[in-house]
Each structure stands twice: as structure tokens, then as C-alpha cells.
């Protein structure tokens, strides 16, 4: 008798401590902790960049490179700024992600939600779960600002015989998930993504907190916000802000994971619906609906949110061009100058979608240089055409 079991059932997950297939570029997305490691050569975002092909499979078409909004923000039907009328206490922003996930579950669209809670001992240590109750979804609210093996629960999905699933995740996790989607035995997969940039290992996070915050051990939450400051929230409810331009770039250069230094999927191109903040005015979240499935998810939360059209103000280009050599040389401004620059740039600097383009341009130029220096042999295949076009607008230092 011949077995009809899928081929991946015979594959062996990576043993703890062994070198992952993407080596130092591994973002610990979790795929290799499962028998889906069988597909790693095609699926891994850092071995086989395949964003345009997967955009077409997921959304029906790849992004239009001639349309500036699609070039930057990926395939989409609409974008908006939004916030919850009643914010969820303890969420990263106003809790739109958790609210949509709860509606998806309670309205019976899905049987489970892939999300990431933290371990009981450490508020920043990620613990991926398949949530099956609203309480379990709420327990996953707020960012765990570290690399998180969300896909490590994929074997449990198949074993549970679940047919309808919502997965929440960042770009590298979602790229690998899309690549193995057909192997999961699902009737319907919904994907709710967040943008992601400059992620770190748990040890890297500690270094970031220690070099940047006045009280690293009491930080419960932080975010790089649209006012060009990092906002830290402490256990006692107080807020601390540090201007981007005052970050100790020379010490922080090696903190970001190599995977994040080679990532060009800041906006989570393959999710059905993306919820972030960078394209919205300060205090608001930013929503990108990529396809009909994304619209179906957003519709479930419309009564809980207020919205406004996206806006765009200012011109980022000069600021990006000037930041390229400054970052490259690890320049750190004295704190008084950094604060002053923060105030000036907040007044006259890019806002809304232009702020998002500022952030994308700054990270893509930095990452392109990093790749060119460290992985020149991968540059051509790994950098998607849209990113080459974005980087091509700037003058990069010659080596
Ligand atoms: P909540 O309701 O608080 O829910 C947060 C959700 O995020 C939870 O469902 C949880 O499962 C999931 N999550 C938490 N940590 C992780 C993780 N490590 N990996 C995968 N999923 C996770 N937005 C921007 O616009 N620009 C950015 O540069 C940016 N960087 C980010 C970096 C990281 C590491 C993460 C996780 C998110 C980032 N975001 C960024 C998204 C943004 O910070 C908010 O997460 C998003 O706006 C949702 O807010 P919320 O209040 O609706 O989420
Ligand atoms: Fe495996 Fe994910 Fe690491 Fe790639 S990034 S090697 S798919 S765990």
C-alpha cells in the first residue's frame, strides 16, 4: 500500500542549537522548528526572495511600480488612518489588531488565531500560540519587540485539523507562511500583518534598552513614533521620549538582527490587511487593505473605530539623503542638538504618508548598503525590484 501522507511529514525539524538554513540571516520565524522545514529553500524570506510572485498569488496582482503609493506600500485597494473609539488597555496602539482578531473568532470566521503572547517570566520573551478564545487573543496584545518564532505552531495547526485560521505576523513570517499555505490543509487562511523594522534578539533588546532608556528594567512598552522620538512607557505609567537623532548609532549599529538589516518588506506586502502607524498622523493607526479578504476582516471592526483619509505633507528627500552618510559613519549628536533637531523636524518635517516614505527610504538605503558590503553575491536576487527603484533615487557612498 502506498502512503498518501504529505512529503513534509517525514522531514525533521531543526534541532535546538543547530545552524539554521539561512545561517546568520535567519529571523527565527519558526518554520524550521516544524516539519515544514521541508520547504525552506523555496519558502525562507532570506534564502528565496519571491515577493512579486507571492503578491500575485495572494492579491491577484503584483504592486504597480509606476504608482508611487503602490511602489512604497504594496498592492492595495485602499488606505486610511483609524483609531479605536475605546482603545484596548495595554495594546501597542489602540488595539485594532486585537479587536479584529476577536471579531474574526467570535463571529465564527475562524477557529483559531496565530498570535504571540509572552512567557510568564519575561514580558518581552515571545511565546507563539493558537488562540481559541478572546481572552487568549487579548493576552497577546502589545508588541513583543523581538524576533518571534510565530510559525513554530504550524504543526499544531495541521494536527488540530483546523480548517479556518487567522495568522497575525510580521513580513518575514508571512512570506514563509504564504509559501507553504497550500500545504497546511486549510480551507481559508486570513492574514493580518503589521509593518516591522529593526527587530532584535532578546539580548539585542536588552542592549537597546540599556543604551537608550533612563530606566531599562521598568520599560513595559516602546515605539518609534511619527514625531521622530522613541516613546518608552514605564511600569509606573510614566512616559520617556528620546529623539531619534540622539540615539547612540555607533553602539546600536550591531544591535539589529542581520535579518532585519537585509529586509525590504517593511510594509508586510503579503498580508491581506496591514495595521501599523507609520502612514497616519501622530496618535492614529494606519490601515492598508490589500485585497477582498482584507476588506472582509476590516468590515468586522468598522463599528469600533473612527477613520479619516490618509494625508501627506512635506518633502522627505533631503532629510533621507543627509541621513545616509550620518548613519553610515555612526554619527551621534549631543542630546541638546538632537532635541533641537527633533523639534525642528517635527514642525517642518514629513507627515502622514510622506513620513512613511521617509522611514522606508532611510531603511532601504541603509539595508541596501549593508547587503552590498556583506552579501554582494545575494544583492541581485534578494533585493526586490520595487526596493531597487526606491534606493535608486539616492546617492549612496562609494566603497
Ligand atoms: P495590538 O492589539 O496590541 O496587537 C499586537 C499584535 O502583534 C498581537 O496580536 C501580537 O500577536 C502581535 N505581535 C506582537 N509581537 C510580535 C512579534 N514580535 N512578531 C509578530 N507579531 C507580534 N508599525 C509601523 O507602522 N512601523 C514600524 O516600524 C513598526 N515596527 C514594528 C516592529 C515590530 C517588531 C512589531 C511586532 C510591530 C511593528 N509595527 C510597526 C506595528 C505596530 O507597532 C503595532 O503592532 C500595530 O500598529 C498594531 O497595533 P495594535 O494596538 O492594533 O496591536
Ligand atoms: Fe528557517 Fe525562518 Fe530561519 Fe528562514 S528565517 S532559516 S525559514 S526559521
Amino acid at each position: 500500500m502506498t502512503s498518501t501522507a504529505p512529503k513534509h511529514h517525514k522531514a525533521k525539524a531543526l534541532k535546538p542549537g543547530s545552524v539554521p538554513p539561512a545561517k546568520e540571516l535567519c529571523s527565527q520565524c519558526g518554520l524550521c522548528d516544524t516539519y515544514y522545514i521541508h520547504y525552506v529553500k523555496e519558502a525562507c524570506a532570506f534564502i528565496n526572495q519571491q515577493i512579486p510572485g507571492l503578491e500575485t498569488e495572494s492579491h491577484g496582482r503584483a504592486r504597480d511600480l509606476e504608482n508611487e503609493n503602490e511602489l512604497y506600500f504594496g498592492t492595495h485597494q485602499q488606505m486610511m488612518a483609524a483609531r479605536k473609539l475605546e482603545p484596548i488597555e495595554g495594546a501597542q496602539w489602540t488595539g485594532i489588531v486585537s479587536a479584529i482578531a476577536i471579531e474574526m473568532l467570535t463571529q465564527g470566521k475562524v477557529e483559531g488565531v496565530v498570535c504571540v503572547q509572552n512567557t510568564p517570566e519575561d514580558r518581552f520573551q515571545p511565546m507563539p500560540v493558537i488562540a481559541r478564545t478572546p481572552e487568549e487573543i487579548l493576552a497577546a496584545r502589545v508588541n513583543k519587540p523581538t524576533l518571534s518564532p510565530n510559525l513554530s505552531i504550524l504543526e499544531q495547526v495541521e494536527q488540530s485539523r483546523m480548517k479556518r485560521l487567522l495568522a497575525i505576523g510580521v513580513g518575514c513570517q508571512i512570506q514563509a507562511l504564504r509559501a507553504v499555505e497550500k500545504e497546511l490543509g486549510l480551507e481559508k487562511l486570513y492574514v493580518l500583518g503589521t509593518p516591522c523594522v529593526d527587530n532584535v534578539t532578546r539580548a539585542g533588546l536588552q542592549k537597546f534598552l540599556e543604551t537608550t532608556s533612563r530606566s531599562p528594567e521598568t520599560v513595559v512598552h516602546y515605539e518609534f513614533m511619527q514625531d521622530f522620538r522613541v516613546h518608552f512607557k514605564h511600569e509606573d505609567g510614566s512616559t520617556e521620549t528620546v529623539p531619534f537623532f540622539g540615539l547612540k548609532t555607533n553602539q546600536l549599529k550591531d544591535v539589529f538582527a542581520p535579518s532585519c538589516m537585509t529586509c525590504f518588506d517593511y510594509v508586510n506586502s503579503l498580508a491581506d490587511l496591514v495595521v501599523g502607524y507609520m502612514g497616519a498622523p501622530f496618535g492614529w493607526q494606519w490601515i492598508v487593505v490589500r485585497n477582498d479578504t482584507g476588506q472582509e476582516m476590516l468590515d468586522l471592526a468598522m463599528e469600533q473605530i473612527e477613520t479619516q483619509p490618509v494625508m501627506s505633507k512635506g518633502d522627505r528627500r533631503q532629510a533621507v539623503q543627509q541621513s545616509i552618510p550620518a548613519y553610515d559613519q555612526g554619527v551621534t549628536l549631543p542630546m541638546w542638538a538632537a532635541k533641537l533637531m527633533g523639534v525642528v523636524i517635527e514642525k517642518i518635517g514629513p507627515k502622514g504618508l510622506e513620513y512613511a516614505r521617509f522611514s522606508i527610504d532611510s531603511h532601504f538605503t541603509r539595508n541596501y548598503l549593508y547587503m552590498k558590503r556583506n552579501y554582494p553575491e545575494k544583492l541581485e536576487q534578494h533585493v526586490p525590484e520595487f526596493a531597487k527603484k526606491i534606493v535608486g533615487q539616492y546617492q549612496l557612498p562609494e566603497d
Side-chain angles (χ1 to χ4, degrees), residues 78-351:
Q78 62 161 335
M79 294 192 274
M80 67 191 76
R83 60 185 178 196
K84 270 198 96 243
L85 295 165
E86 290 177 30
I88 295 179
E89 172 88 34
Q92 183 70 15
W93 282 76
T94 69
I96 295 179
V97 166
S98 299
I100 293 175
I102 289 172
E103 290 302 322
M104 292 288 291
L105 192 70
T106 52
Q107 296 196 29
K109 296 261 182 198
V110 293
E111 295 151 274
V113 177
V114 176
C115 51
V116 48
Q117 301 176 348
N118 56 278
T119 59
E121 308 79 45
D122 180 354
R123 68 169 77 91
F124 291 132
Q125 186 70 48
M127 187 174 79
V129 297
I130 307 174
R132 292 161 193 261
T133 65
E135 292 71 32
E136 287 168 352
I137 293 171
L138 278 178
R141 73 193 186 284
V142 77
N143 291 358
K144 271 46 81 180
T146 46
L147 302 176
S148 172
N150 283 25
L151 302 187
S152 61
I153 47 67
L154 280 187
E155 283 185 24
Q156 287 174 42
V157 171
E158 197 180 356
Q159 284 151 11
S160 71
R161 299 181 191 268
M162 224 174 245
K163 290 293 169 210
R164 304 178 72 81
L165 183 77
L166 168 64
I168 300 172
V170 298
C172 54
Q173 300 159 356
I174 301 307
Q175 195 181 141
L177 177 68
R178 286 297 196 194
V180 300
E181 181 176 347
K182 290 197 198 76
E183 313 299 335
L184 301 175
L186 295 170
E187 279 162 17
K188 178 78 180 170
L189 173 69
Y190 292 86
V191 181
L192 175 48
T194 67
C196 180
V197 79
D198 292 349
N199 214 341
V200 288
T201 59
R202 185 63 188 84
L205 174 65
Q206 206 53 37
K207 182 164 179 200
F208 170 72
L209 295 175
E210 279 164 17
T211 37
T212 314
S213 170
R214 62 169 153 75
S215 168
E217 63 290 346
T218 59
V219 173
V220 286
H221 171 293
Y222 74 84
E223 188 77 271
F224 287 72
M225 290 204 190
Q226 301 100 318
D227 61 352
F228 296 88
R229 294 186 178 92
V230 190
H231 290 232
F232 293 97
K233 207 161 140 198
H234 291 275
E235 274 166 355
D236 62 2
S238 64
T239 302
E240 170 191 10
T241 61
V242 178
F244 289 180
F245 307 102
L247 292 179
K248 300 190 177 90
T249 323
N250 50 349
Q251 292 179 46
L252 291 175
K253 262 192 148 180
D254 304 327
V255 163
F256 303 130
S259 54
C260 306
M261 296 293 290
T262 61
C263 170
F264 296 90
D265 193 22
Y266 194 167
V267 297
N268 212 324
S269 314
L270 303 171
D272 300 310
L273 179 68
V274 177
V275 180
Y277 65 87
M278 61 202 238
F282 185 64
W284 290 71
Q285 292 187 256
W286 173 58
I287 297 189
V288 186
V289 178
R290 300 208 180 284
N291 57 33
D292 293 346
T293 302
Q295 187 64 50
E296 181 187 341
M297 285 194 264
L298 179 62
D299 285 344
L300 300 182
M302 282 313 277
E303 282 177 9
Q304 298 182 42
I305 61 175
E306 57 178 326
T307 65
Q308 61 165 308
V310 282
M311 49 74 78
S312 187
K313 223 166 104 185
D315 186 347
R316 72 199 180 275
R317 283 168 226 257
Q318 220 185 335
V320 175
Q321 187 63 62
Q322 283 167 359
S323 73
I324 296 171
Y327 184 86
D328 206 37
Q329 289 149 25
V331 174
T332 301
L333 292 178
M335 196 44 85
W336 65 267
K339 283 193 174 144
L340 185 67
M341 192 149 158
V343 171
V344 172
I345 203 152
E346 198 194 339
K347 283 228 163 62
I348 59 162
K351 301 230 165 27

Side-chain angles (χ1 to χ4, degrees), residues 1-2 18-19 27 37 101-102 125 138-139 173 185-186 229 237 243 310 326 328 347 355 357 371 383 391 398:
M1 221 171 76
T2 52
S18 35
V19 178
S27 71
I37 191 175
I102 289 172
Q125 186 70 48
L138 278 178
Q173 300 159 356
L186 295 170
R229 294 186 178 92
V310 282
D328 206 37
K347 283 228 163 62
Y355 173 85
R357 284 187 281 262
M371 284 222 63
V383 185
V391 172
E398 293 293 331

